[in-house]
Amino acid sequence: MDFSATLENSRILKGIIEAISFLIDETYVYVYPTGLKLNAIDSSHVAMLLAFLPKELFTEYKCSQDSKIGINVQDLIKILRRSGGKDEIQLQLDKKDKNTLLITMKSDKSTRTFKLKSKEIPGYDAKEEGLLESFEETLKDKFSATIQIEGAVLDEIVKDALIISDLIKVQVLSAEKVMNFTASDESGEVAIEIDLEKGVLDKKVQNDAEGIYSLNFLENIIKIQSITNHFEIALGNNIPMKIKGAITSSAGNPTDGKIVYLLAPRVEEENEDEFGDDFDANDIEEELSSGGGEEDSSGEDDE
Amino acid sequence: MSFTTDLLERRGGCLEIASASPPSFFVGHSGYPRVSIGPMLPHSLDSPLEVHDMDAPEQWLVPGSPASTHKQLMEVVQFRSSLIRTTHPAYVKEKGASDRILGLSQQIAMAEKPVATEIAVEKLHVNVQVDDHAAPNGPSGSLQRLAITENPRVHRKVDYAVSDTDLKASEAISKYLYADGHLPVSDIYRILSAGLLGIEENRKLVPTRWAITATDDTVSKSLIERVKSFPELGEHLLHESSYLGNSFHIIFVPRPWVYEMMECWSPHSIWRLFDRDKSYVIVQDHELSDGRTTYASNITGAYYSARLGVAEYLTSIKRQAAVIVIREVNEQYLMPLGVWVIRQAVRDALARPPRKFSSLKEVLAAIAPGLQVPLRYWLAKSQLLPYIRSQRTLESFLPRAAP
């Protein structure tokens, strides 16, 4: 098995590995004759990321057969952060030891080679390699709105919302031609309205769409602006949100390169069949606020 | 408290005792980093326990054993008060090589069997000290002389972990002592407290109450890393147990790993005797799948002790789950006896067969009648229940695989 791939600089790889590091500690890098793929699902199984770097993105790419390299994400980041902005980066499987990944940084003045042991990742389900594809297949007919938005715009929205809450409600209203973002908690609310005629790069809206998502994940997702400057957001009703960024070559040319996120929604409790009417949160609140005597102040007096 | 003196001899201003340390070694936390350390040993053999078991909480409630064998509150106080805690001042960075008493104490701390020990103490304080983290301690006296009269037997893995001064404390604890050596947690924190683990320049004495929580935290964290790679549990489980006025209701929901603990001390317990407000005060801490970065400051050490029991259980069944531990403490828990009560009671609950359910609603309905604090208060306080109820996982959108 021969594998060797050279990038003009570490920007794209570093961006992707950093995005993955928010989700997991260890992952496989899949290498194929067509390019390189990374996959990660976070331990709560709420967010997943897939990145594909086609061989066109590389200045040199050689891969004789499908293979996978298990890496410790933190170790790889530490190494990539050592590269200068103009250093050429080469990834290579060691010819003498196929369980070792060689990472070489070349500048005018020096050539530095790091060796990283490939590892078996326990509990890693073989299905995960194709998991994102199965999600895309399952969800593709359920997305009712697809919006192209500038990375910087999404960045501002997420930062606004984080001031108020750790959840954000995303809504597309087809008749009103708007996309709404709302975050609220007891302390207040923020509402952001984006005009679908003027405020987005492109749109395809068949129907209204809506979902509530964790801002902690979104906050990390938008950090991939370092490699892609606009996002395609696909939404349906209370289904995972898909955020896709295209990866262009350093000359700015489009490629098949992409980074895709899927983020599972929070679903408001009335849809929850496990509790039914007996455990409606509102009833509890009512009981707490109307109750008297001994039992009326649970919660408040803990602080 | 009866204070039998069959092993004591008074000589000059000192009391001399020749007996055996279980082994037991205590580091106080007051005055940190100038602390008081020393081995403990019984002043009397008038105890229902073997000497070894006097400092081994794993033996006070053996998980899954008949309730009649579980040590009762006054029994624990009684045998703990027959241990004399010796005190010797030490700076936490002090080394055994330069302080003879510390060096000998460290040898005792490393032992796996009782160590024949002779001490001379003065200024004996005859009292029982209770702590919410460590087990109660009996009389204490300032250590004037310490001698070990036999060669302590040391577990092979302990010997290895203590000699390797390049080995991180966390790895020594979770891998060498716990996983490979199968040492009980109480042995591990005793060795950690004696400043015998970790990279040479980081080694220091650790107050016992901190060492207990550090050990529960470190071991459970390493187990949870494995647990997160296991498949999800197939059904909802409820495990329950009760010990010394502490009732535990432990709920397992088939989902990726998350953990919450909530507890409520009865408004009628002596701890709240003077509270004018007799409302239910529930405290809560939790973590999502990526763990905590801050100390569980509401529940404190008990959070980590219960989490250890839960992580051990999930490791043994090779499954992951969302776990909620509810602890109710009633009037019978007259004094805090230490977090071993929580660790052992949770292990005991999980050693008994669970009740099985097909939904969270059914589990909650099953718990409700046995709760002293009505279920709605727990539901209102829980942070994880709303999360579990509302946060979908990605898999829940995939068509179910054919069985």
Side-chain angles (χ1 to χ4, degrees):
Chain A
M1 158 69 198
D2 271 344
F3 167 71
S4 163
T6 309
L7 284 162
E8 221 170 308
N9 58 51
S10 64
R11 182 182 60 96
I12 292 174
L13 197 58
K14 207 153 62 180
I16 289 170
I17 300 293
E18 279 177 352
I20 283 181
S21 74
F22 295 120
L23 301 182
I24 45 168
D25 301 326
E26 294 172 328
T27 191
Y28 282 113
V29 179
Y30 296 95
V31 297
Y32 307 126
T34 51
L36 193 147
K37 187 172 103 172
L38 285 123
N39 227 358
I41 183 158
D42 88 295
S43 50
S44 62
H45 295 207
V46 170
M48 114 167 253
L49 173 151
L50 171 137
F52 179 64
L53 305 180
K55 63 178 187 186
E56 295 79 32
L57 274 174
F58 298 84
T59 50
E60 170 259 2
Y61 191 92
K62 265 195 313 221
C63 174
S64 58
Q65 68 186 78
D66 292 1
S67 185
K68 64 181 181 186
I69 307 165
I71 53 156
N72 179 302
V73 179
Q74 290 304 331
D75 288 348
L76 185 55
I77 286 189
K78 279 185 210 153
I79 293 173
L80 291 174
R81 285 192 183 142
R82 294 297 306 143
S83 65
K86 289 181 181 158
D87 288 0
E88 186 184 87
I89 297 282
Q90 186 185 45
L91 303 176
Q92 218 178 345
L93 273 184
D94 194 341
K95 290 204 168 56
K96 290 174 220 136
D97 173 8
K98 296 292 177 198
N99 287 320
T100 300
L101 179 67
L102 303 179
I103 303 143
T104 306
M105 299 166 191
K106 254 187 231 170
S107 70
D108 299 345
K109 293 176 183 142
S110 67
T111 300
R112 295 174 285 162
T113 302
F114 290 87
K115 288 187 177 182
L116 196 57
K117 281 270 173 227
S118 166
K119 57 195 301 180
E120 281 295 314
I121 300 173
Y124 206 90
D125 194 335
K127 281 187 306 199
E128 286 190 25
E129 186 181 349
L131 201 55
L132 190 106
E133 286 85 345
S134 9
F135 280 119
E136 289 196 307
E137 183 56 33
T138 310
L139 295 172
K140 70 174 193 281
D141 300 328
K142 295 184 179 150
F143 291 124
S144 51
T146 307
I147 313 287
Q148 304 265 358
I149 191 167
E150 271 179 63
V153 175
L154 191 60
D155 191 27
E156 293 299 318
I157 292 168
V158 170
K159 281 178 182 156
D160 285 346
L162 273 167
I163 297 172
I164 303 290
S165 174
D166 54 6
L167 293 177
I168 189 167
K169 183 174 182 176
V170 187
Q171 206 179 22
V172 174
L173 300 175
S174 55
E176 290 83 351
K177 297 196 172 61
V178 292
M179 187 172 193
N180 290 324
F181 295 85
T182 330
S184 61
D185 75 355
E186 308 90 57
S187 67
E189 183 181 294
V190 55
I192 301 141
E193 186 183 276
I194 304 282
D195 182 338
L196 290 180
E197 298 292 316
K198 296 180 211 149
V200 300
L201 299 167
D202 198 4
K203 58 178 192 298
K204 209 168 80 192
V205 180
Q206 291 149 345
N207 259 314
D208 289 357
E210 183 181 305
I212 298 172
Y213 302 93
S214 157
L215 277 165
N216 297 334
F217 286 108
L218 280 173
E219 187 188 11
N220 292 319
I221 292 169
I222 52 175
K223 290 189 179 142
I224 54 168
Q225 276 185 91
S226 61
I227 39 178
T228 178
N229 48 18
H230 71 266
F231 297 115
E232 180 186 293
I233 301 176
L235 285 167
N237 269 313
N238 292 323
I239 62 166
M241 164 159 68
K242 182 170 120 180
I243 300 182
K244 183 172 147 188
I247 301 175
T248 52
S249 70
S250 23
N253 299 321
T255 68
D256 289 340
K258 62 180 178 181
I259 181 159
V260 182
Y261 259 100
L262 274 182
L263 183 57
R266 294 280 179 103
V267 175
E268 279 169 351
E269 286 159 14
E270 57 262 28
N271 297 332
E272 177 59 70
D273 54 8
E274 283 180 341
F275 282 81
D277 298 334
D278 304 358
F279 295 100
D280 189 294
N282 296 325
D283 289 351
I284 298 161
E285 291 304 321
E286 269 170 39
E287 278 197 52
L288 288 176
S289 52
S290 64
E294 283 198 345
E295 304 178 348
D296 67 350
S297 57
S298 166
E300 282 92 52
D301 51 0
D302 294 347
E303 273 77 47
Chain B
M1 181 185 75
S2 69
F3 188 75
T4 48
T5 56
D6 45 356
L7 298 171
L8 292 173
E9 193 174 327
R10 190 175 290 279
R11 188 167 298 169
C14 282
L15 283 174
E16 297 194 345
I17 303 169
S19 72
S21 181
S24 179
F25 171 76
F26 189 83
V27 181
H29 68 280
S30 71
Y32 191 89
R34 302 206 171 271
V35 292
S36 136
I37 64 141
M40 303 203 278
L41 65 166
H43 57 72
S44 158
L45 292 180
D46 181 22
S47 159
L49 290 186
E50 301 280 330
V51 170
H52 172 266
D53 293 351
M54 295 172 80
D55 199 33
E58 290 81 4
Q59 302 304 320
W60 307 343
L61 188 180
V62 177
S65 65
S68 58
T69 63
H70 302 171
K71 294 284 170 277
Q72 295 308 299
L73 190 128
M74 286 320 290
E75 287 179 271
V76 173
V77 173
Q78 193 184 6
F79 67 71
R80 291 296 296 180
S81 60
S82 62
L83 281 175
I84 286 197
R85 177 166 74 89
T86 64
T87 62
H88 169 73
Y91 175 59
V92 291
K93 290 295 268 185
E94 193 68 71
K95 299 287 169 199
S98 53
D99 179 331
R100 196 177 150 273
I101 284 185
L102 173 58
L104 289 172
S105 301
Q106 287 177 326
Q107 286 186 37
I108 293 172
M110 283 170 70
E112 63 175 329
K113 291 266 157 56
V115 186
T117 304
E118 293 176 4
I119 58 166
V121 291
E122 62 173 23
K123 296 181 199 144
L124 197 67
H125 294 279
V126 181
N127 61 357
V128 175
Q129 288 185 338
V130 296
D131 185 280
D132 53 351
H133 286 64
N137 280 333
S140 62
S142 158
L143 189 58
Q144 303 303 307
R145 196 170 65 78
L146 171 64
I148 300 178
T149 55
E150 68 175 325
N151 266 337
R153 225 170 88 182
V154 176
H155 190 285
R156 203 165 42 87
K157 294 288 175 186
V158 173
D159 194 27
Y160 179 86
V162 172
S163 341
D164 188 344
T165 52
D166 294 321
L167 183 63
K168 281 186 183 168
S170 58
E171 203 181 335
I173 290 170
S174 53
K175 182 171 188 309
Y176 291 86
L177 302 182
Y178 181 85
D180 296 351
H182 304 290
L183 262 74
V185 169
S186 61
D187 279 5
I188 301 176
Y189 63 68
R190 190 181 64 241
I191 297 164
L192 175 69
S193 73
L196 292 167
L197 298 177
I199 295 167
E200 178 68 35
E201 60 266 33
N202 297 342
R203 288 190 181 190
K204 58 183 164 197
L205 294 161
V206 184
T208 300
R209 54 180 283 142
W210 303 348
I212 293 172
T213 297
T215 304
D216 281 335
D217 182 28
T218 305
V219 173
S220 55
K221 222 183 254 166
S222 76
L223 293 175
I224 290 163
E225 272 318 302
R226 276 191 68 201
V227 164
K228 289 196 293 191
S229 70
F230 294 142
E232 286 168 27
L233 200 67
E235 56 208 331
H236 291 70
L237 302 181
L238 171 63
H239 284 267
E240 292 174 297
S241 73
S242 187
Y243 180 48
L244 307 179
N246 291 262
S247 314
F248 288 89
H249 311 271
I250 310 173
I251 304 169
F252 291 78
V253 181
R255 273 188 75 97
W257 163 259
V258 285
Y259 169 75
E260 176 174 57
M261 183 167 176
M262 294 186 277
E263 64 179 36
C264 184
W265 290 63
S266 163
H268 308 293
S269 72
I270 59 169
W271 305 102
R272 298 192 54 200
L273 209 56
F274 298 107
D275 285 8
R276 281 176 46 225
D277 177 5
K278 292 289 184 191
S279 60
Y280 297 118
V281 179
I282 298 175
V283 290
Q284 182 275 357
D285 275 305
H286 73 282
E287 64 192 65
L288 297 181
S289 307
D290 50 359
R292 294 187 67 91
T293 51
T294 55
Y295 183 59
S297 57
N298 300 313
I299 304 265
T300 72
Y303 178 90
Y304 300 96
S305 303
R307 193 179 71 180
L308 174 61
V310 166
E312 287 176 333
Y313 174 69
L314 289 171
T315 306
S316 74
I317 62 168
K318 294 192 162 54
R319 288 290 180 275
Q320 62 173 317
V323 184
I324 296 172
V325 175
I326 293 176
R327 176 191 180 204
E328 291 189 313
V329 188
N330 71 21
E331 306 85 88
Q332 289 162 31
Y333 198 50
L334 288 172
M335 59 185 84
L337 291 185
V339 290
W340 66 270
V341 171
I342 289 95
R343 190 186 312 113
Q344 292 307 101
V346 166
R347 284 170 165 176
D348 183 51
L350 300 177
R352 296 170 192 281
R355 293 156 77 187
K356 299 177 178 182
F357 302 91
S358 59
S359 73
L360 184 54
K361 182 183 171 182
E362 285 177 29
V363 180
L364 294 173
I367 291 180
L371 290 171
Q372 303 160 53
V373 178
L375 180 64
R376 62 178 184 278
Y377 291 95
W378 299 102
L379 293 178
K381 186 68 185 177
S382 173
Q383 299 279 311
L384 268 198
L385 283 169
Y387 172 85
I388 292 171
R389 292 162 73 179
S390 65
Q391 178 63 65
R392 291 286 181 268
T393 60
L394 286 167
E395 281 92 339
S396 68
F397 292 93
L398 280 181
R400 282 191 191 276

PDB file of all heavy atoms in Angstrom, chain A residues 283-303:
ATOM      1  N   ASP A 283     -47.293  21.764  33.467  1.00  0.00           N
ATOM      2  CA  ASP A 283     -48.033  21.399  34.665  1.00  0.00           C
ATOM      3  C   ASP A 283     -47.136  21.492  35.887  1.00  0.00           C
ATOM      4  O   ASP A 283     -47.544  21.949  36.943  1.00  0.00           O
ATOM      5  CB  ASP A 283     -48.550  19.954  34.566  1.00  0.00           C
ATOM      6  CG  ASP A 283     -49.679  19.851  33.558  1.00  0.00           C
ATOM      7  OD1 ASP A 283     -50.131  20.917  33.100  1.00  0.00           O
ATOM      8  OD2 ASP A 283     -50.085  18.726  33.250  1.00  0.00           O
ATOM      9  N   ILE A 284     -45.909  21.029  35.725  1.00  0.00           N
ATOM     10  CA  ILE A 284     -44.994  21.051  36.865  1.00  0.00           C
ATOM     11  C   ILE A 284     -44.766  22.490  37.285  1.00  0.00           C
ATOM     12  O   ILE A 284     -44.837  22.835  38.459  1.00  0.00           O
ATOM     13  CB  ILE A 284     -43.651  20.393  36.490  1.00  0.00           C
ATOM     14  CG1 ILE A 284     -43.890  18.934  36.135  1.00  0.00           C
ATOM     15  CG2 ILE A 284     -42.661  20.499  37.621  1.00  0.00           C
ATOM     16  CD1 ILE A 284     -42.761  18.327  35.344  1.00  0.00           C
ATOM     17  N   GLU A 285     -44.503  23.326  36.284  1.00  0.00           N
ATOM     18  CA  GLU A 285     -44.270  24.735  36.585  1.00  0.00           C
ATOM     19  C   GLU A 285     -45.469  25.320  37.324  1.00  0.00           C
ATOM     20  O   GLU A 285     -45.336  26.007  38.319  1.00  0.00           O
ATOM     21  CB  GLU A 285     -44.042  25.525  35.282  1.00  0.00           C
ATOM     22  CG  GLU A 285     -42.740  25.189  34.578  1.00  0.00           C
ATOM     23  CD  GLU A 285     -41.520  25.382  35.459  1.00  0.00           C
ATOM     24  OE1 GLU A 285     -41.502  26.361  36.224  1.00  0.00           O
ATOM     25  OE2 GLU A 285     -40.606  24.545  35.406  1.00  0.00           O
ATOM     26  N   GLU A 286     -46.676  24.981  36.812  1.00  0.00           N
ATOM     27  CA  GLU A 286     -47.882  25.524  37.439  1.00  0.00           C
ATOM     28  C   GLU A 286     -47.986  25.077  38.878  1.00  0.00           C
ATOM     29  O   GLU A 286     -48.239  25.862  39.773  1.00  0.00           O
ATOM     30  CB  GLU A 286     -49.128  25.038  36.681  1.00  0.00           C
ATOM     31  CG  GLU A 286     -49.545  25.993  35.578  1.00  0.00           C
ATOM     32  CD  GLU A 286     -50.620  25.374  34.698  1.00  0.00           C
ATOM     33  OE1 GLU A 286     -51.509  24.683  35.242  1.00  0.00           O
ATOM     34  OE2 GLU A 286     -50.543  25.586  33.470  1.00  0.00           O
ATOM     35  N   GLU A 287     -47.739  23.779  39.081  1.00  0.00           N
ATOM     36  CA  GLU A 287     -47.837  23.260  40.441  1.00  0.00           C
ATOM     37  C   GLU A 287     -46.858  23.962  41.355  1.00  0.00           C
ATOM     38  O   GLU A 287     -47.155  24.282  42.486  1.00  0.00           O
ATOM     39  CB  GLU A 287     -47.525  21.762  40.456  1.00  0.00           C
ATOM     40  CG  GLU A 287     -48.704  20.914  40.077  1.00  0.00           C
ATOM     41  CD  GLU A 287     -48.488  19.478  40.510  1.00  0.00           C
ATOM     42  OE1 GLU A 287     -48.172  19.264  41.694  1.00  0.00           O
ATOM     43  OE2 GLU A 287     -48.613  18.590  39.656  1.00  0.00           O
ATOM     44  N   LEU A 288     -45.672  24.198  40.818  1.00  0.00           N
ATOM     45  CA  LEU A 288     -44.646  24.825  41.642  1.00  0.00           C
ATOM     46  C   LEU A 288     -45.029  26.252  41.983  1.00  0.00           C
ATOM     47  O   LEU A 288     -44.826  26.707  43.099  1.00  0.00           O
ATOM     48  CB  LEU A 288     -43.305  24.817  40.907  1.00  0.00           C
ATOM     49  CG  LEU A 288     -42.646  23.450  40.798  1.00  0.00           C
ATOM     50  CD1 LEU A 288     -41.376  23.551  39.981  1.00  0.00           C
ATOM     51  CD2 LEU A 288     -42.327  22.898  42.174  1.00  0.00           C
ATOM     52  N   SER A 289     -45.594  26.964  41.014  1.00  0.00           N
ATOM     53  CA  SER A 289     -45.873  28.364  41.281  1.00  0.00           C
ATOM     54  C   SER A 289     -47.158  28.522  42.088  1.00  0.00           C
ATOM     55  O   SER A 289     -47.297  29.469  42.853  1.00  0.00           O
ATOM     56  CB  SER A 289     -45.959  29.151  39.971  1.00  0.00           C
ATOM     57  OG  SER A 289     -46.870  28.491  39.120  1.00  0.00           O
ATOM     58  N   SER A 290     -48.101  27.566  41.986  1.00  0.00           N
ATOM     59  CA  SER A 290     -49.351  27.748  42.724  1.00  0.00           C
ATOM     60  C   SER A 290     -49.334  27.019  44.068  1.00  0.00           C
ATOM     61  O   SER A 290     -50.138  27.293  44.919  1.00  0.00           O
ATOM     62  CB  SER A 290     -50.527  27.227  41.894  1.00  0.00           C
ATOM     63  OG  SER A 290     -50.357  25.832  41.706  1.00  0.00           O
ATOM     64  N   GLY A 291     -48.398  26.063  44.251  1.00  0.00           N
ATOM     65  CA  GLY A 291     -48.371  25.279  45.477  1.00  0.00           C
ATOM     66  C   GLY A 291     -48.103  26.148  46.690  1.00  0.00           C
ATOM     67  O   GLY A 291     -47.499  27.199  46.606  1.00  0.00           O
ATOM     68  N   GLY A 292     -48.569  25.699  47.857  1.00  0.00           N
ATOM     69  CA  GLY A 292     -48.353  26.509  49.063  1.00  0.00           C
ATOM     70  C   GLY A 292     -47.639  25.706  50.113  1.00  0.00           C
ATOM     71  O   GLY A 292     -47.219  24.586  49.882  1.00  0.00           O
ATOM     72  N   GLY A 293     -47.500  26.291  51.296  1.00  0.00           N
ATOM     73  CA  GLY A 293     -46.979  25.578  52.456  1.00  0.00           C
ATOM     74  C   GLY A 293     -45.556  25.116  52.268  1.00  0.00           C
ATOM     75  O   GLY A 293     -44.742  25.810  51.688  1.00  0.00           O
ATOM     76  N   GLU A 294     -45.330  23.924  52.753  1.00  0.00           N
ATOM     77  CA  GLU A 294     -43.975  23.390  52.824  1.00  0.00           C
ATOM     78  C   GLU A 294     -43.296  23.277  51.476  1.00  0.00           C
ATOM     79  O   GLU A 294     -42.102  23.347  51.388  1.00  0.00           O
ATOM     80  CB  GLU A 294     -44.038  21.973  53.399  1.00  0.00           C
ATOM     81  CG  GLU A 294     -44.240  21.946  54.874  1.00  0.00           C
ATOM     82  CD  GLU A 294     -43.853  20.581  55.419  1.00  0.00           C
ATOM     83  OE1 GLU A 294     -43.721  19.620  54.624  1.00  0.00           O
ATOM     84  OE2 GLU A 294     -43.651  20.510  56.617  1.00  0.00           O
ATOM     85  N   GLU A 295     -44.094  23.014  50.464  1.00  0.00           N
ATOM     86  CA  GLU A 295     -43.472  22.529  49.249  1.00  0.00           C
ATOM     87  C   GLU A 295     -43.370  23.581  48.154  1.00  0.00           C
ATOM     88  O   GLU A 295     -43.194  23.248  47.013  1.00  0.00           O
ATOM     89  CB  GLU A 295     -44.279  21.337  48.715  1.00  0.00           C
ATOM     90  CG  GLU A 295     -44.420  20.247  49.744  1.00  0.00           C
ATOM     91  CD  GLU A 295     -45.268  19.099  49.231  1.00  0.00           C
ATOM     92  OE1 GLU A 295     -45.926  19.249  48.185  1.00  0.00           O
ATOM     93  OE2 GLU A 295     -45.260  18.064  49.892  1.00  0.00           O
ATOM     94  N   ASP A 296     -43.504  24.830  48.518  1.00  0.00           N
ATOM     95  CA  ASP A 296     -43.688  25.791  47.439  1.00  0.00           C
ATOM     96  C   ASP A 296     -42.417  26.385  46.875  1.00  0.00           C
ATOM     97  O   ASP A 296     -42.480  27.165  45.948  1.00  0.00           O
ATOM     98  CB  ASP A 296     -44.630  26.909  47.881  1.00  0.00           C
ATOM     99  CG  ASP A 296     -44.041  27.775  48.954  1.00  0.00           C
ATOM    100  OD1 ASP A 296     -42.972  27.400  49.496  1.00  0.00           O
ATOM    101  OD2 ASP A 296     -44.612  28.799  49.274  1.00  0.00           O
ATOM    102  N   SER A 297     -41.277  26.052  47.405  1.00  0.00           N
ATOM    103  CA  SER A 297     -40.137  26.815  46.914  1.00  0.00           C
ATOM    104  C   SER A 297     -38.978  25.961  46.439  1.00  0.00           C
ATOM    105  O   SER A 297     -37.844  26.375  46.474  1.00  0.00           O
ATOM    106  CB  SER A 297     -39.663  27.775  47.998  1.00  0.00           C
ATOM    107  OG  SER A 297     -39.355  27.036  49.144  1.00  0.00           O
ATOM    108  N   SER A 298     -39.289  24.751  46.021  1.00  0.00           N
ATOM    109  CA  SER A 298     -38.193  23.938  45.481  1.00  0.00           C
ATOM    110  C   SER A 298     -37.559  24.629  44.290  1.00  0.00           C
ATOM    111  O   SER A 298     -38.231  25.257  43.488  1.00  0.00           O
ATOM    112  CB  SER A 298     -38.742  22.592  45.035  1.00  0.00           C
ATOM    113  OG  SER A 298     -37.788  21.945  44.245  1.00  0.00           O
ATOM    114  N   GLY A 299     -36.297  24.485  44.173  1.00  0.00           N
ATOM    115  CA  GLY A 299     -35.656  25.101  43.013  1.00  0.00           C
ATOM    116  C   GLY A 299     -35.045  26.435  43.364  1.00  0.00           C
ATOM    117  O   GLY A 299     -33.839  26.549  43.429  1.00  0.00           O
ATOM    118  N   GLU A 300     -35.877  27.411  43.688  1.00  0.00           N
ATOM    119  CA  GLU A 300     -35.356  28.761  43.890  1.00  0.00           C
ATOM    120  C   GLU A 300     -34.328  28.852  45.007  1.00  0.00           C
ATOM    121  O   GLU A 300     -33.354  29.561  44.911  1.00  0.00           O
ATOM    122  CB  GLU A 300     -36.484  29.753  44.228  1.00  0.00           C
ATOM    123  CG  GLU A 300     -37.276  30.169  43.029  1.00  0.00           C
ATOM    124  CD  GLU A 300     -38.473  29.262  42.845  1.00  0.00           C
ATOM    125  OE1 GLU A 300     -39.220  29.087  43.805  1.00  0.00           O
ATOM    126  OE2 GLU A 300     -38.616  28.719  41.750  1.00  0.00           O
ATOM    127  N   ASP A 301     -34.575  28.112  46.098  1.00  0.00           N
ATOM    128  CA  ASP A 301     -33.725  28.329  47.266  1.00  0.00           C
ATOM    129  C   ASP A 301     -32.436  27.524  47.222  1.00  0.00           C
ATOM    130  O   ASP A 301     -31.723  27.436  48.199  1.00  0.00           O
ATOM    131  CB  ASP A 301     -34.492  28.054  48.557  1.00  0.00           C
ATOM    132  CG  ASP A 301     -35.176  26.711  48.516  1.00  0.00           C
ATOM    133  OD1 ASP A 301     -35.032  26.016  47.480  1.00  0.00           O
ATOM    134  OD2 ASP A 301     -35.832  26.369  49.483  1.00  0.00           O
ATOM    135  N   ASP A 302     -32.151  26.920  46.093  1.00  0.00           N
ATOM    136  CA  ASP A 302     -30.895  26.193  46.014  1.00  0.00           C
ATOM    137  C   ASP A 302     -29.699  27.112  45.881  1.00  0.00           C
ATOM    138  O   ASP A 302     -28.591  26.740  46.208  1.00  0.00           O
ATOM    139  CB  ASP A 302     -30.901  25.254  44.803  1.00  0.00           C
ATOM    140  CG  ASP A 302     -31.929  24.159  45.000  1.00  0.00           C
ATOM    141  OD1 ASP A 302     -32.411  24.029  46.139  1.00  0.00           O
ATOM    142  OD2 ASP A 302     -32.240  23.480  44.029  1.00  0.00           O
ATOM    143  N   GLU A 303     -29.941  28.274  45.329  1.00  0.00           N
ATOM    144  CA  GLU A 303     -28.789  29.104  45.030  1.00  0.00           C
ATOM    145  C   GLU A 303     -28.268  29.817  46.234  1.00  0.00           C
ATOM    146  O   GLU A 303     -28.465  30.188  47.140  1.00  0.00           O
ATOM    147  CB  GLU A 303     -29.146  30.147  43.968  1.00  0.00           C
ATOM    148  CG  GLU A 303     -28.961  29.605  42.572  1.00  0.00           C
ATOM    149  CD  GLU A 303     -30.095  28.674  42.136  1.00  0.00           C
ATOM    150  OE1 GLU A 303     -31.249  29.035  42.336  1.00  0.00           O
ATOM    151  OE2 GLU A 303     -29.824  27.577  41.645  1.00  0.00           O
TER     152      GLU A 303
END
